[in-house]
Amino acid sequence: MTRIPHGTPGEPDPLRALGLEQLRRRTSMKWRAYPEDVLPLWVAEMDVPLAEPVLRAVTDALALGDTGYPAGTAYAEALAGFAAKRWNWDGIAVERTAIVPDVMLGVVEMLRLVTGPGDPVIVNSPVYPPFYQFVTHMDRRVVEAPLGSGLRLDLELLADTFRQVTAAGGRAAYLLCSPHNPTGTVHTAAELAAVADLAERYGVRVVADEIHAPLVVPGVTFVPYLSVPGAARGLSLMSASKGWNLAGLKAALALAGPAAGADLARLPEEVSHGPSHIGVIAHTAALIEGTGWLDALLAGLDANRRLLTALLAERLPAIRPCPAEATYLAWLDCRALGLGEDPAEAFLERGRVALSSGLPFGTGGAGHVRLNLATSPEILTEAVRRMATALA
């Protein structure tokens, strides 16, 4: 019988704070998309209470009636402080930041600044499905450059793709997912510097989605794209949303490299009206005062990754989990199970556990599922038990 790992000293593990009965009272997408007999481990919501500093900041704002429009640079200053302490990076210039409604809407606005209708946007599949949806809906063309060996960036393929899409002299952008969703790959400084070099060589503009940056495995270093040599023309989107489970409190920041400030300055003024003022307050509090809570979460997630590996080895040894270095998502190769291109369907229908289908993640997604680790060890254990019953 697999043992559930014990927590670590310090702040309590937020993944152990809420039971299934409490979680089922939630009305967000994760807990309302499926019937009550289904255990949901799909969409990127965490089964945690709010960090106390965030709860206090939001409660104080509500008590004051401070529910107007966002203003000021407190969020950008908080992120700059967090980046300096967490990533040893002091490259966030507040004057080259802008508040945007959330990361994906920020991605859309950045792509609008550097591309036009019909222009290509390169992505590394398998990748977060909204990359396809949002880019297509804004009348740009998605071009895949699939991940290579070990689910890392294939720099040779990326160079070939950059060369092809710019051969006629048009504009192109590269939408970089860093850390990568769904694989949890953390790109190295050398890899990102190579990306920047290729982007400069072929005139491709890089827009980096770095929303999972706070969620790296202990001992692994996240490298901001804008911190590497040659990335001065890059644009980045960051947020406290994923790290502190604040998806319902909308806010994110767009960052421009030193040579991209003029591009960011062209951002329409009305974009800044989209973020929630309460969201900005919550994200700011998380970055300044919520690092102890984050560290406890990271320890809990690390324990859950090890638990999942053990559970799969015991109950479903044919499944191969990707060794993730970041995020709270597990990318599982289920092709050996013989469940076809969409094993998530079988796990749902036969096991009553909801996972994300790999198909919407693009090339490389067939036969895979994405599992959300950000839950209690007990729920994770029950989920794997249900997955195993789907094969019985």
Side-chain angles (χ1 to χ4, degrees):
M1 181 68 179
T2 302
R3 295 183 61 194
I4 296 172
H6 293 290
T8 55
E11 271 203 48
D13 181 356
L15 295 171
R16 295 172 177 267
L18 301 174
L20 188 57
E21 184 177 344
Q22 292 169 290
L23 291 167
R24 289 206 180 277
R25 288 162 50 195
R26 290 185 168 181
T27 58
S28 61
M29 183 184 292
K30 180 178 182 181
W31 293 96
R32 287 294 180 265
Y34 294 95
E36 281 206 2
D37 67 324
V38 172
L39 200 59
L41 277 77
W42 63 295
V43 73
E45 296 181 22
M46 294 196 285
D47 295 343
V48 294
L50 276 180
E52 194 279 331
V54 175
L55 180 60
R56 184 174 65 248
V58 170
T59 302
D60 288 349
L62 294 176
L64 191 61
D66 188 7
T67 53
Y69 298 105
T73 59
Y75 190 0
E77 292 165 10
L79 179 60
F82 180 85
K85 293 175 183 176
R86 208 77 178 183
W87 308 320
N88 196 29
W89 180 47
D90 61 1
I92 295 181
V94 172
E95 66 274 13
R96 291 198 309 273
T97 66
I99 300 175
V100 293
D102 59 32
V103 163
M104 276 314 301
L105 290 178
V107 163
V108 166
E109 295 298 337
M110 297 305 103
L111 290 175
R112 281 186 177 139
L113 294 175
V114 298
T115 64
D119 285 340
V121 177
I122 300 102
V123 303
N124 301 122
S125 57
V127 73
Y128 184 48
F131 277 22
Y132 297 92
Q133 298 158 356
F134 281 71
V135 170
T136 302
H137 290 167
M138 65 182 296
D139 197 23
R140 269 59 170 176
R141 176 168 54 93
V142 175
V143 177
E144 291 186 328
L147 295 173
S149 176
L151 296 175
R152 304 205 68 86
L153 297 178
D154 185 335
L155 295 171
E156 185 175 340
L157 175 60
L158 203 57
D160 288 342
T161 306
F162 283 9
R163 185 183 306 112
Q164 290 171 18
V165 300
T166 58
R171 293 187 295 178
Y174 171 41
L175 182 48
L176 171 69
C177 194
S178 180
H180 196 84
N181 175 5
T183 64
T185 306
V186 176
H187 310 305
T188 66
E191 287 170 329
L192 294 174
V195 165
D197 179 68
L198 290 173
E200 284 301 295
R201 188 185 313 170
Y202 293 105
V204 174
R205 298 301 298 274
V206 178
V207 176
D209 171 355
E210 299 181 311
I211 195 171
H212 287 279
L215 294 167
V216 295
V217 171
V220 174
T221 301
F222 166 73
V223 180
Y225 176 70
L226 297 182
S227 72
V228 302
R233 293 203 311 143
L235 296 160
S236 165
L237 285 305
M238 290 189 173
S239 176
S241 175
K242 287 292 183 285
W244 286 268
N245 203 43
L246 303 175
L249 291 167
K250 292 283 190 180
L253 284 165
L255 287 65
D263 294 306
L264 190 60
R266 293 187 286 107
L267 187 69
E269 191 269 341
E270 62 268 20
V271 173
S272 67
H273 297 175
S276 160
H277 180 48
I278 296 296
V280 170
I281 290 171
H283 290 224
T284 301
L287 291 165
I288 295 174
E289 302 179 79
T291 53
W293 184 94
L294 177 64
D295 287 335
L297 170 71
L298 294 177
L301 290 174
D302 195 43
N304 274 4
R305 287 187 195 93
R306 288 182 275 111
L307 173 61
L308 177 63
T309 299
L311 289 168
L312 291 175
E314 179 182 313
R315 303 295 299 269
L316 292 163
I319 293 180
R320 292 191 302 150
C322 172
E325 299 171 309
T327 83
Y328 51 75
L329 307 165
W331 187 237
L332 307 180
D333 183 347
C334 304
R335 287 174 291 182
L337 296 178
L339 296 176
E341 291 196 339
D342 192 9
E345 187 175 283
F347 291 132
L348 176 61
E349 295 303 318
R350 303 180 206 167
R352 309 309 286 163
V353 57
L355 308 173
S356 295
S357 167
L359 293 176
F361 291 82
T363 300
H368 292 71
V369 298
R370 192 189 73 176
L371 181 150
N372 184 343
L373 284 163
T375 190
S376 70
E378 293 81 7
I379 290 176
L380 184 59
T381 301
E382 171 63 11
V384 175
R385 186 196 70 79
R386 293 187 183 201
M387 292 169 67
T389 65
L391 304 181

